[in-house]
Amino acid sequence: MKPQDILLGVVVMVVWGMNFAFVKIAMTEFSPMMLVALRYLLTAVLLVPFLRLSGIKFLHIFGLSVTLGVLHFAFMFTGLKGTDASLAAIAAQIQVPFAVILAVMFFRERPNRRQILGIAIAFAGVAMLAGAPKTSSSLFDLGLVIIAALLWGLAHIQVKWMGAINPFVLNAWMSVLAAPMIIGTSLIFEDGQWESLQTAGAAGWGGVIYMALGVTIFGYGIWYKILQKYDVSQTMPLTILAPLVGAASGIVFLGEHMDAIQIAGAALTIVGVGAVATGRAKTTPKIEADMQAAAKAEG
């Protein structure tokens, strides 16, 4: 890879990794699902020029908007509210092994030995994170993050069924369809939405803008261009930076702490996920690796 492309890739991973801390900060002013709704509303406005009807598999996108746009983020953000950002950033990476397992179930894909070993290591690492003592995180909330990771794996299957599609077109439709559904979900399960809209300051609105502009518009735009230029084997190692940055941002910006057991669990998880992500055959379509990497920001 050219040095400038490596640098751009690193910048994207930093933006995506820091999203976990920024979401935690934004949730001091907005409830979890309300925050997701505002993100989708702003993203929908920004991506209006990409809305197209021709060649769109509407039912597939609608199904994806339910799984990924509503259920995944409802579980992820609700769980993140009660989980340290540093732990959530690592635990959420179990979505990559989940995607491989579901691909075996739905498409009868055959993971290689490296991937199988990586899956086992990654789950062992997450088990250590869940069982680690002296953490401010709720085991229940960490469980919600893991459920969200499973839902992302299911969304990965839906994307494979959908086939190739312009990422900005997909994000535009996802935002338009998911926004009203997540707003309705927030109104059912949360309260104080109107009050938060009136009182929110830089922390809340800054988080919304960061997710829409930084994570989605900038992150996706740069990363897709990089993927079009290089093989998966060249780009996937960069994605390991995202959870590392996510964990570091929780420690630096939120004052979180990881003890020896948590650090060991995080190391195992990252090593396992890395083995799964880089263990695919060279013939694997780039869109699969793309979804694996891009979802690291969806926390």
Side-chain angles (χ1 to χ4, degrees):
M1 293 179 65
K2 294 181 179 179
Q4 60 266 34
D5 291 328
I6 294 176
L7 178 60
L8 284 173
V10 169
V11 171
V12 171
M13 295 307 138
V14 171
V15 170
W16 284 348
M18 291 179 64
N19 189 47
F20 284 90
F22 285 160
V23 167
K24 287 281 289 187
I25 294 172
M27 282 194 291
T28 61
E29 299 191 351
F30 291 119
S31 59
M33 283 178 273
M34 186 63 183
L35 181 60
V36 179
L38 292 172
R39 170 203 182 151
Y40 275 133
L41 286 172
L42 179 56
T43 303
V45 171
L46 294 173
L47 294 181
V48 162
F50 291 93
L51 286 175
R52 292 175 175 79
L53 291 174
S54 60
I56 296 298
K57 299 178 180 179
F58 186 80
L59 290 180
H60 286 251
I61 295 179
F62 177 77
L64 185 64
S65 70
V66 173
T67 304
L68 184 63
V70 178
L71 295 177
H72 167 77
F73 280 110
F75 278 96
M76 177 63 75
F77 277 37
T78 302
L80 182 57
K81 188 174 180 63
T83 307
D84 286 350
S86 53
L87 292 186
I90 302 297
Q93 305 315 307
I94 202 71
Q95 61 199 8
V96 177
F98 273 139
V100 174
I101 293 172
L102 289 171
V104 172
M105 296 171 60
F106 285 93
F107 298 112
R108 299 188 183 279
E109 292 188 1
R110 294 184 178 181
N112 57 39
R113 293 180 181 179
R114 181 176 180 176
Q115 288 179 301
I116 295 173
L117 179 60
I119 290 171
I121 293 173
F123 276 104
V126 171
M128 289 183 67
L129 291 176
K134 299 180 181 179
T135 176
S136 63
S137 302
S138 160
L139 185 58
F140 174 78
D141 289 317
L142 185 60
L144 294 181
V145 172
I146 294 173
I147 292 174
L150 175 60
L151 287 165
W152 181 87
L154 181 59
H156 174 82
I157 300 300
Q158 292 175 279
V159 169
K160 288 191 66 175
W161 274 328
M162 188 183 304
I165 183 172
N166 184 300
F168 290 108
V169 173
L170 177 59
N171 277 321
W173 277 111
M174 280 275 296
S175 300
V176 168
L177 293 172
M181 290 189 285
I182 198 70
I183 289 174
T185 304
S186 175
L187 292 174
I188 294 172
F189 293 103
E190 299 175 333
D191 54 33
Q193 291 88 345
W194 178 245
E195 291 80 1
S196 65
L197 288 173
Q198 293 177 305
T199 60
W205 292 114
V208 173
I209 294 172
Y210 183 87
M211 286 187 288
L213 285 177
V215 172
T216 303
I217 306 299
F218 171 79
Y220 274 89
I222 296 297
W223 189 246
Y224 274 90
K225 288 183 180 180
I226 290 175
L227 286 176
Q228 291 171 359
K229 295 173 63 175
Y230 301 101
D231 292 335
V232 172
S233 59
Q234 294 175 285
T235 59
M236 285 307 293
L238 287 174
T239 65
I240 303 302
L241 290 174
L244 294 175
V245 172
S249 66
I251 294 171
V252 173
F253 295 111
L254 303 176
E256 297 173 352
H257 171 73
M258 295 184 72
D259 59 27
I261 296 179
Q262 291 170 329
I263 293 174
L268 283 177
T269 304
I270 291 173
V271 169
V273 170
V276 175
T278 60
R280 289 184 175 276
K282 293 182 179 180
T283 55
T284 300
K286 289 187 178 182
I287 189 172
E288 294 184 34
D290 183 14
M291 282 295 294
Q292 293 174 1
K296 293 181 183 299
E298 308 289 284

